[in-house]
Amino acid sequence: MPLDRTACDELDRSADRLDGFDALRARFAPGAPGALYFDANSIGPMPHDAPERMRRVLDEGWRLARRRGWNDFDWLEQPRSLGAAIAPVLGAGPDDVLVADSTSVNLYKLLRTALAARAPRKVIVVERDVFPSNRYVAEGIAQAGMATLRLIDRPDDLAAALAPGDVAVVSLSHVDYRSSERLDMSVLSAQIRAGGALSLWDLSHSVGAVAIHLQADGADLATGCGYKYLSGGPGAPSFIYLNPRLRETVNSRLRETAWPALCGWMGHADTFAFEPGYRPAPDVSQFQVGTPPVLANAAFSAAAEIWRDVDAAALTARHRSLTDTLIALLDEHCEGFGLHLASSRDHARRGGHVALRFEGAAALAQALVAAGVVLSARKPDSLRFGVHPLTTTHGDLHEAVQRLQTVLQTAAWREPRFAGASV
Ligand SMILES: *Cc1c(COP(=O)(O)O)cnc(C)c1O
């Protein structure tokens, strides 16, 4: 049966009524009129009440309460309470997640923690072609003499990389930012642990798109972006996860030989004791360094309250239905134009976005933006449809593929105004 508009609308109605997704979608603000948004892999959509929450911090907190804001509001608890709110979609315990700093900074903290926990092992294994920060941060640690890098091309190379028995940590992207290839967290975490190393997962392109099972899958350490599918707002803080299984190991190492990578007062075991010496907090709080970004956390709190109400299994089911529909629509309407599916057809091996390959990807992305379909391109030829499971509808996908088909049929993307553009 062809997936016409009626069939897509019917999928929306049945799925939404069943799992309450219509109510969840209503908690987000609409975007620009006429624009269909598929860039949640860059910045997720805005919850309705994010501006009001920020306004309250400015007005009631800053203008009126001033210093008392710290006492009268929950500003200091937010790194933990926001972490607890997103923990269910991470498959983590509520006490095992902290919201703080950026993903790049958290990668640094976690790599250093792993090196301390697995000393004297000194090797960091990282993917050669990973998102730049993930590699650069590891390179910087090696440059400072604190580790040695071992680059791998693909997870298949892991066995050989682990074989010498000197690896402290393997840093992996759960989902590739270009192809959307999703790795098997359970299998790889087990393999890494068997090799005596810790696994560090970057969840930037899966968190908030599909349910993650950090604890059940045996992941050791994790981080990821708060501003992508999680919808925490532009520049929202990242999160950090420490498997509770590791708490004792990490803490005994910290006592014996090493301290956290960044020792700030907010990561102290007793922040307001103002002790002369540093003592790390015994849990994930040790990853907090300084004062939390209260305004950013106010925006993040709007999304966090939505995530608290999301059923993780239903989230995955809805993302699967949406992205399967997108692929079926592309098969049906966009054959023969040189557009190729770059992601897997198996949902378990896809992350948040559906990736396509197209020789003029950057120009096509610009032409689509002009046609009201907002998505992104990555060099050299990757086109990314970031599907947000709480706000995208099957009807949106149908409309977007119609517009894509028109742009391809009319070759509008070849117009000079779209040449040399970057999205
Ligand atoms: C988006 C992204 C980042 C970005 O890190 P920031 O510190 O937030 O700039 C890092 N790693 C991956 C895999 C990403 O996709």
Side-chain angles (χ1 to χ4, degrees), residues 37-105:
Y37 191 73
F38 301 101
D39 219 352
N41 48 296
S42 299
I43 288 200
M46 184 180 83
H48 253 303
D49 61 346
E52 174 57 18
R53 284 164 185 263
M54 293 190 78
R55 194 201 59 76
R56 278 207 305 268
V57 170
L58 291 171
D59 199 50
E60 294 161 31
W62 190 6
R63 184 174 74 86
L64 296 175
R66 297 192 186 169
R67 183 193 178 284
R68 274 190 306 103
W70 292 106
N71 307 98
D72 295 353
F73 301 97
D74 58 352
W75 293 348
L76 279 173
E77 286 76 51
Q78 274 190 329
R80 295 298 298 262
S81 63
L82 295 175
I86 62 169
V89 288
L90 289 168
D95 290 331
D96 301 329
V97 183
L98 179 83
V99 166
D101 301 313
S102 68
T103 300
S104 302
V105 171

Side-chain angles (χ1 to χ4, degrees), residues 37-351:
Y37 191 73
F38 301 101
D39 219 352
N41 48 296
S42 299
I43 288 200
M46 184 180 83
H48 253 303
D49 61 346
E52 174 57 18
R53 284 164 185 263
M54 293 190 78
R55 194 201 59 76
R56 278 207 305 268
V57 170
L58 291 171
D59 199 50
E60 294 161 31
W62 190 6
R63 184 174 74 86
L64 296 175
R66 297 192 186 169
R67 183 193 178 284
R68 274 190 306 103
W70 292 106
N71 307 98
D72 295 353
F73 301 97
D74 58 352
W75 293 348
L76 279 173
E77 286 76 51
Q78 274 190 329
R80 295 298 298 262
S81 63
L82 295 175
I86 62 169
V89 288
L90 289 168
D95 290 331
D96 301 329
V97 183
L98 179 83
V99 166
D101 301 313
S102 68
T103 300
S104 302
V105 171
N106 286 337
L107 285 166
Y108 178 83
K109 291 188 274 187
L110 289 170
L111 287 173
R112 291 281 314 275
T113 294
L115 288 162
R118 283 294 181 265
R121 290 172 172 236
K122 274 192 81 170
V123 174
I124 297 175
V125 172
V126 66
E127 298 155 287
R128 192 184 304 278
D129 211 16
V130 73
F131 187 87
S133 246
N134 301 55
R135 179 168 163 176
Y136 298 163
V137 168
E139 278 180 356
I141 292 174
Q143 190 64 29
M146 295 182 279
T148 310
L149 276 201
R150 188 168 296 152
L151 299 174
I152 54 170
D153 288 313
R154 355 171 344 96
D156 291 352
D157 303 338
L158 249 184
L162 289 165
D166 53 3
V167 177
V169 55
V170 179
S171 172
L172 294 170
S173 252
H174 189 209
V175 170
D176 184 275
Y177 74 103
R178 279 164 301 210
S179 69
S180 198
E181 173 80 19
R182 183 174 3 154
L183 300 181
D184 189 324
M185 182 180 284
S186 166
V187 165
L188 293 171
S189 296
Q191 186 185 358
I192 292 164
R193 186 168 344 133
L198 298 184
S199 57
L200 164 52
W201 292 93
D202 185 322
L203 309 174
S204 292
H205 289 282
S206 51
V207 65
V210 296
I212 295 163
H213 308 284
L214 285 172
Q215 179 124 19
D217 284 348
D220 293 318
L221 309 161
T223 183
C225 293
Y227 49 80
K228 292 175 179 167
Y229 299 93
L230 280 180
S231 285
S238 157
F239 59 86
I240 203 161
Y241 166 81
L242 173 69
N243 191 314
R245 183 171 58 76
L246 286 173
R247 262 191 222 160
E248 227 0 85
T249 319
V250 168
N251 289 335
S252 63
R253 280 305 169 112
L254 293 180
R255 276 191 300 271
E256 287 162 20
T257 56
W259 281 3
L262 296 166
C263 304
W265 69 309
M266 289 281 164
H268 192 279
D270 190 354
T271 296
F272 288 97
F274 290 94
E275 290 174 12
Y278 183 78
R279 278 191 299 131
D283 55 16
V284 76
S285 289
Q286 68 188 228
F287 292 109
Q288 198 176 332
V289 183
T291 303
V294 178
L295 276 165
N297 282 347
F300 201 136
S301 72
E305 284 191 14
I306 297 175
W307 290 114
R308 217 173 38 198
D309 295 341
V310 169
D311 176 84
L315 180 78
T316 301
R318 181 165 172 86
H319 185 268
R320 177 184 185 153
S321 171
L322 288 165
T323 50
D324 282 353
T325 297
L326 173 58
I327 291 171
L329 287 166
L330 291 166
D331 284 346
E332 198 176 317
H333 298 285
C334 301
E335 274 261 281
F337 294 108
L339 195 63
H340 304 284
L341 185 67
S343 333
S344 174
R345 288 185 180 269
D346 174 3
H347 183 255
R349 296 183 54 199
R350 288 201 303 271

